[in-house]
Amino acid sequence: VDTRELTQQMCATVGAENRFPGDERVGRALVPGAWGAWPLCVVQPGSPAEVTAIVHLTEQAGAAIVPCGSGSGLITGYPPTADKPFILLQTARLNRILDYQPDDLTVTCEPGVTLEQLHAALAPRRQFLALDSPLPERTTLGGLVSMNRAGFSRPSYGTPRDLLIGVKAVMTGGVEVKGGGKVVKNVAGYDVCKLFTGAWGTLGVLTELTFKVRPANEAELSLSWDCPSVSAAAELALELYWSKISPAYALATNEPEGRAAVIVGIQGTAARVLWQQEELARQVRRLGINSPLIVLGETETSYLRDVQARVHRDVRLGCRITCLPTELPGVIRNLELLPTLRMTAQCAVGTLNVASPNPDPALTLSLRSAAPRSAHLLWTRIEPELSKPQKIALWGEARPDFVLQRALKQALDPKRTFSPGRFLGGL
Ligand SMILES: Cc1cc2nc3c(=O)[nH]c(=O)nc-3n(C[C@H](O)[C@H](O)[C@H](O)COP(=O)(O)OP(=O)(O)OC[C@H]3O[C@@H](n4cnc5c(N)ncnc54)[C@H](O)[C@@H]3O)c2cc1C
């Protein structure tokens, strides 16, 4: 790779003011130190045509591209393979809302639009994109779709996979592809939207996304009761979620201050929310919890949501355990024997986010043995000194479908242009 020539060509493509040096100064703000390498440069294209040109130039030079939004999720997964230098393609300038049809409940955006920006645009028509992800001011739609992450309300609304109905992307050779569209109805054929959702930037660069949106809730509340332990909170959360009150979500947590609590989200019309609040209070007392009801304010709920992103520097290890909802209380009971673990369980979907400031390598083994064999562990954040000696598979242990995943990657990105090595089994 002729680094000098490539970075000069990038300047000519996007303009010198949108090409930044990929050195420690700029790279440090975006690329996790654990990657051990800086990008050749950081480029911010302003149009899909510029993305196409960047893909051409990078492939000609034999380099790789790591797409990124704000970079908050780059900490998850492996670093790009060392055999190829890479550029960071940041979507900061692809930040336009292209089309909003409130009557059709659809919105089309460029990938660099943040969740906060989109919610502000939909609010005047009392609509919203039903993804309550952490850090909405930093979370770009391209990053969110590529990570297929969803927030607390996932049991009610699903994940990006359920809400994305149209997609455009630039793939190898600078080829622009399109899947789905602006109508909520699906047509026959492979579902291109789902292919790119959760692909972690390994198949191409997303350039346009169409989502279905929803009418906003008239009222919303998060209710919390202290519990004797997180496992007791998980048992209570499941009881409440399965009851006829059907809340939007039910969490068991010891965040932010180590106090075990159940947190239940209720949403809908004002009358329904009032009814749910009264019924939940009655049910909680009936189930033997006598601690007072705490109604969480927006600030407390946002804080609890934001800590799930594990961007704080004191976190040395973050892991998401996925199992059957009924298995959660048992998993948590095993983990309660370990010190200083922060836990938040989304009980209705069977996921448990665990974080620790503790750099003890034995912790990774304890986490694995606390969960049933059938549980899936995704190491969302882990320091190399913890993962390397034990050769931890960051995306979980090999599964039979890895063969198919590998075949897809080879067929769709034969030159290994997009985020090579970052994904499952080093894809
Ligand atoms: C450890 C951790 C745990 C988290 N847990 C949750 C959670 O449980 N629930 C939740 O809702 N949120 C969670 N988040 C927060 C949030 O979902 C992500 O941080 C956010 O979605 C990433 O947005 P971003 O713009 O920073 O993406 P980036 O970090 O910039 O990118 C994320 C991934 O998407 C790829 N990508 C980005 N843009 C594009 C594009 N245009 N085309 C192709 N690929 C692209 C990147 O290559 C990268 O692999 C978590 C974050 C972290 C770091």
Side-chain angles (χ1 to χ4, degrees), residues 384-400:
E385 72 263 26
L386 293 184
S387 63
K388 277 207 178 130
Q390 304 182 57
K391 298 196 175 62
I392 289 182
L394 300 184
W395 299 95
E397 290 106 43
R399 305 185 308 251

Side-chain angles (χ1 to χ4, degrees), residues 67 69-73 133-134 140 143 146-147 149-150 200-201 204 206 308-309 422:
S70 79
S72 65
S133 237
T140 64
S146 301
M147 292 172 76
R149 285 289 161 87
W200 290 79
L206 295 167
Q308 305 308 314
R422 289 249 308 124

Side-chain angles (χ1 to χ4, degrees), residues 147-225:
M147 292 172 76
N148 191 36
R149 285 289 161 87
F152 293 159
S153 298
R154 175 177 175 178
S156 303
Y157 304 120
T159 65
R161 203 162 260 149
D162 304 296
L163 302 173
L164 185 72
I165 55 171
V167 73
K168 284 189 187 168
V170 176
M171 300 182 72
T172 184
V175 174
E176 285 193 67
V177 294
K178 180 177 177 303
K182 292 180 186 172
V183 283
V184 175
K185 190 175 166 295
N186 273 330
V187 290
Y190 299 116
D191 193 330
V192 179
C193 293
K194 287 192 169 55
L195 179 67
F196 280 100
T197 311
W200 290 79
T202 57
L203 296 180
V205 181
L206 295 167
T207 51
E208 196 178 295
L209 304 157
T210 300
F211 297 94
K212 51 184 172 188
V213 297
R214 296 178 66 98
N217 290 303
E218 194 180 304
E220 261 177 68
L221 280 182
S222 300
L223 311 176
S224 168
W225 289 267

Side-chain angles (χ1 to χ4, degrees), residues 22-24 26-41 66 74 79-88 388:
D23 59 9
E24 187 168 348
V26 178
R28 196 183 278 275
L30 287 167
V31 171
W35 282 15
W38 308 120
L40 290 176
C41 63
V66 177
L74 295 180
T81 39
D83 62 338
K84 270 186 158 198
F86 65 95
I87 64 156
L88 267 191
K388 277 207 178 130

Side-chain angles (χ1 to χ4, degrees), residues 84-299:
K84 270 186 158 198
F86 65 95
I87 64 156
L88 267 191
L89 185 156
Q90 195 178 22
T91 55
R93 288 172 66 227
L94 295 171
N95 61 353
R96 286 159 288 225
I97 295 174
L98 301 171
D99 183 40
Y100 174 31
Q101 299 294 337
D103 296 336
D104 293 332
L105 294 167
T106 62
V107 65
T108 301
C109 303
E110 289 186 319
V113 169
T114 64
L115 204 50
E116 183 180 66
Q117 187 188 342
L118 180 58
H119 281 152
L122 303 181
R125 295 299 301 258
R126 298 204 44 72
Q127 295 183 346
F128 75 120
L129 176 67
L131 293 169
D132 56 344
S133 237
L135 309 172
E137 69 290 355
R138 284 178 63 184
T139 291
T140 64
L141 299 175
L144 192 59
V145 166
S146 301
M147 292 172 76
N148 191 36
R149 285 289 161 87
F152 293 159
S153 298
R154 175 177 175 178
S156 303
Y157 304 120
T159 65
R161 203 162 260 149
D162 304 296
L163 302 173
L164 185 72
I165 55 171
V167 73
K168 284 189 187 168
V170 176
M171 300 182 72
T172 184
V175 174
E176 285 193 67
V177 294
K178 180 177 177 303
K182 292 180 186 172
V183 283
V184 175
K185 190 175 166 295
N186 273 330
V187 290
Y190 299 116
D191 193 330
V192 179
C193 293
K194 287 192 169 55
L195 179 67
F196 280 100
T197 311
W200 290 79
T202 57
L203 296 180
V205 181
L206 295 167
T207 51
E208 196 178 295
L209 304 157
T210 300
F211 297 94
K212 51 184 172 188
V213 297
R214 296 178 66 98
N217 290 303
E218 194 180 304
E220 261 177 68
L221 280 182
S222 300
L223 311 176
S224 168
W225 289 267
D226 284 358
C227 290
S229 62
V230 187
S231 51
E235 276 164 7
L236 178 61
L238 286 171
E239 289 283 348
L240 297 176
Y241 188 73
W242 289 326
S243 72
K244 63 174 181 168
I245 311 165
S246 55
Y249 56 84
L251 315 173
T253 187
N254 61 1
E255 298 188 274
E257 284 155 7
R259 233 175 51 215
V262 64
I263 297 179
V264 183
I266 47 180
Q267 304 168 346
T269 61
R272 178 180 155 85
V273 165
L274 185 65
W275 171 80
Q276 284 180 308
Q277 180 172 352
E278 287 168 2
E279 283 296 313
L280 282 166
R282 219 169 283 143
Q283 183 92 345
V284 167
R285 264 197 310 278
R286 210 176 299 136
L287 292 167
I289 298 292
N290 294 312
S291 54
L293 159 66
I294 302 168
V295 179
L296 299 182
E298 182 47 38
T299 315

Side-chain angles (χ1 to χ4, degrees), residues 330-376:
V331 174
I332 296 172
R333 220 169 285 123
N334 292 339
L335 294 178
E336 277 168 335
L337 304 172
L338 305 171
T340 63
L341 277 193
R342 299 170 203 168
M343 295 187 259
T344 297
Q346 289 176 247
C347 297
V349 287
T351 61
L352 172 66
N353 286 340
V354 181
S356 171
N358 184 351
D360 178 3
L363 189 55
T364 54
L365 298 175
S366 308
L367 284 175
R368 179 62 268 183
S369 54
R373 276 315 312 161
S374 55
H376 180 256

